[in-house]
């Protein structure tokens, strides 16, 4: 479905209504909505689909309790409605999960403020799902949790997903409606003349350069948004904020529910939750000063910070770096307030701005991708305000089942990711160019297994020979590339002195 890789010459020969730059959830959402509106649209991604932030989030499809606590009721309401829609449309890929918020005596927030916030939260979502758990019940559900001052917990529900699979699912759905997408296609510049925007593209696979054009181009490059186009510094500025996660051996830290716990150092909420068979801990939130051309990676200080949290909350666990299977860091494209706020206090809303035929959309959340896409299409003049309003309110399904796919594709959160039928589907239909696309994003085998997938190497070598035509030389290159990337950007960095 995404498998036939077109050449730039093929693409240049077609008349596009819209070119979308950036293959994260925002770009994929824009492509999907544009294709559904009957527009001829093309998406270009410089690396792999979801290589940027959209494979590195906290995997939560949620309203965000934090936003409601900050008084941002509109953002929370929109996100909760989108959550309910995704739960309905993508069972197995977006799943309701129980969240527990332990309460400790003398600590804010207490039971009654939390009850008030959760009542509003559920009301906005149109459900009633929160309740108080006694201390005893909580300790039965979360054995090993530090019981100092513990008075119980608030229980409520939100949802979990696999963010990269969500992007791929949008691209597959867009393809069904005629939307095209190409990974490893870097846009190196844009230029406006004669009422069209010209896009210079480098096909990183073929090693070719070309020029494509469309009346309008949407820049959905997230944290990279200020690099494309020249708005003379007049548009909003992106403040790249890094958030890192640890994937921990579930034998060493088993959890069945998503826990929100406060870091002893700075009181920031951090999640400890079950994800695709392992335990995930995150996130940090700090200014990201590294080169955006490199993959983001967790620092040693961030690993220490997260281990400190876990060992404080689960004193008997005594986790060390050896218990961490892998790490993952992402860069949040936050619209800077410009007043040097604490990173965690910056708003998470999106912004859309236009200059010279280039509409830029950045910021926001995974959860609200559909609404962000509609805003971007309206700003691009591809949706009139009335249709945009109607589309926002529409309850029509955005996704339909993929009858040709094995059931594991739509039941990913539980699926055995090394299942033969799933691997074959992915290799045939999901535009895998490199082995790391398969092991780090289409599946998460490289992150979830202690051996990084080494035990599967022989099987994968055969499958990629059969389905992608890789010979032994190519396999050797791909395996070396994957091992190098995994070690440099997804490994467990050594202890550092600096604070997170
Ligand atoms: C640590 C962390 C946790 C988060 N947790 C959650 C959560 O639990 N729930 C939630 O709803 N949201 C969450 N978010 C927010 C959410 O992940 C992001 O808002 C979202 O993924 C941004 O998507 P995007 O498509 O705008 O950006 P990206 O996913 O970064 O996509 C932009 C793409 O543009 C590509 N690109 C850049 N330049 C070019 C170019 N010149 N040519 C072609 N392509 C280019 C990049 O390679 C990249 O793939 C989290 C974010 C972070 C960092």
């Amino acid at each position: 479905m995404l498998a036939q890789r077109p050449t730039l010459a093929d693409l240049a020969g077609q008349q596009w209504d819209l070119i979308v730059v950036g293959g994260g959830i925002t770009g994929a959402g824009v492509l999907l909505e544009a294709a559904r509106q009957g527009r001829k649209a093309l998406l270009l991604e410089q690396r792999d689909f979801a290589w940027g932030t959209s494979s590195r989030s906290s995997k939560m499809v949620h309203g965000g309790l934090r936003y409601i606590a900050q008084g941002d009721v509109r953002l929370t309401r929109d996100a909760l409605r989108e959550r309910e829609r995704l739960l309905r449309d993508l069972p197995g890929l977006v799943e309701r999960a129980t969240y527990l918020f332990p309460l400790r005596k003398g600590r804010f927030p207490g039971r009654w403020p939390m009850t008030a916030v959760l009542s509003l939260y559920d009301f906005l979502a149109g459900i009633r799902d929160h309740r108080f758990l006694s201390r005893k019940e909580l300790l039965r559900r979360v054995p090993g949790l530090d019981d100092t001052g513990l008075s119980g917990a608030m229980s409520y529900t939100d949802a979990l997903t696999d963010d990269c699979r969500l992007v791929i699912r949008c691209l597959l759905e867009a393809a069904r409606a005629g939307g095209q997408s190409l990974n490893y296609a870097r846009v190196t510049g844009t230029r406006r003349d004669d009422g069209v925007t010209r896009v210079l593209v480098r096909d990183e696979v073929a090693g070719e350069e070309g020029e494509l054009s469309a009346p309008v181009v949407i820049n959905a490059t997230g944290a990279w948004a200020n690099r494309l186009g020249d708005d003379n510094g007049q548009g909003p500025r992106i403040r790249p904020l890094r958030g890192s996660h640890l994937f921990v051996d579930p034998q060493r830290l088993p959890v069945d529910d998503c826990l929100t716990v406060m870091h002893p150092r700075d009181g920031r909420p951090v999640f400890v939750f079950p994800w695709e068979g392992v335990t995930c801990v995150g996130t940090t939130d700090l200014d990201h000063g590294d080169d955006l051309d490199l993959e983001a990676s967790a620092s040693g200080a961030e690993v220490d910070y997260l281990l400190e949290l876990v060992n404080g909350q689960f004193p008997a666990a005594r986790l060390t770096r050896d218990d961490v299977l892998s790490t993952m860091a992402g860069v949040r494209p936050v619209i800077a307030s410009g007043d040097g706020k604490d990173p965690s206090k910056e708003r998470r809303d999106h912004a859309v701005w236009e200059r010279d035929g280039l509409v830029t959309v950045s910021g926001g959340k995974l959860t609200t991708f559909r609404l962000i896409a509609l805003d971007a299409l309206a700003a691009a003049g591809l949706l009139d305000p009335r249709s945009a309003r109607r589309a926002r309110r529409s309850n029509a399904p955005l996704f339909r089942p993929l009858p040709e796919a094995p059931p594991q594709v739509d039941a990913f959160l539980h699926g055995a990711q090394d299942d033969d039928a799933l691997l074959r589907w992915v290799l045939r239909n999901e535009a895998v160019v490199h082995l790391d696309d398969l092991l780090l994003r289409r599946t998460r085998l490289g992150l979830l297994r202690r051996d990084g997938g080494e035990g599967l190497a022989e099987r994968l070598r055969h499958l990629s020979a059969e389905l992608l035509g890789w010979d032994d030389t190519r396999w050797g290159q791909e395996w070396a590339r994957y091992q190098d990337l995994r070690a440099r950007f997804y490994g467990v960095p050594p202890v550092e002195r600096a604070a997170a």
Side-chain angles (χ1 to χ4, degrees), residues 21-28 44-62 67 163 167 185-189 219-225 227-228 241-245 271 283-284 329-333 361-368 372:
V21 188
I25 192 67
T26 307
L44 302 167
E45 161 57 49
Q46 63 175 352
R47 309 270 183 113
D48 187 24
F49 300 126
W51 172 84
T53 310
S54 299
S55 56
R56 302 153 186 272
S57 78
S58 298
K59 331 294 182 203
M60 295 183 180
V61 173
H62 64 164
Y67 314 121
D163 43 4
V167 173
R186 178 192 297 270
V187 172
T188 54
N219 168 14
T221 57
W224 292 262
R227 287 183 167 191
L228 206 64
L241 294 177
R242 184 170 75 240
S244 298
H245 293 92
F271 294 109
T283 171
T284 55
V331 182
R332 227 181 252 277
V361 54
S362 188
K365 289 156 61 76
L366 191 74
T367 311
T368 46
I372 297 174

Side-chain angles (χ1 to χ4, degrees), residues 108-124:
F108 187 79
R111 175 173 174 180
W112 299 114
M114 275 301 284
T115 303
V117 167
L118 288 172
S119 301
L120 178 58
Y121 199 67
D122 276 359
F123 170 76
L124 294 173

Side-chain angles (χ1 to χ4, degrees), residues 1-2 23-25 28-29 32 48-51 53-57 59 61 86 90-94 160-174 275-276 328 366 369 399 402 405-417 419 421-432 436-445 447-448:
M1 296 181 75
L2 305 176
I25 192 67
L32 173 55
D48 187 24
F49 300 126
W51 172 84
T53 310
S54 299
S55 56
R56 302 153 186 272
S57 78
K59 331 294 182 203
V61 173
L86 288 165
L90 291 175
L93 179 54
V94 180
L160 285 174
T161 190
D162 183 304
D163 43 4
C164 180
R165 297 296 315 165
L166 190 60
V167 173
I168 297 294
R169 198 60 177 76
C170 284
L171 296 176
L172 290 170
E173 202 68 41
W275 188 71
E276 296 184 10
M328 173 173 262
L366 191 74
F369 74 88
F399 298 92
L402 292 167
Q408 295 89 322
V409 170
D410 267 341
F412 201 77
L413 293 177
H414 306 294
Q417 300 194 10
D419 178 276
L422 176 68
L423 291 172
R424 284 175 176 276
W425 159 270
V426 168
L427 290 170
R428 274 205 188 100
N429 297 291
E430 296 189 355
V432 171
D436 41 292
D437 304 341
L438 177 70
L439 290 176
L440 298 174
R441 285 173 292 276
R442 301 297 182 289
T443 72
R444 307 298 196 146
L445 290 164
L447 304 170
L448 305 177

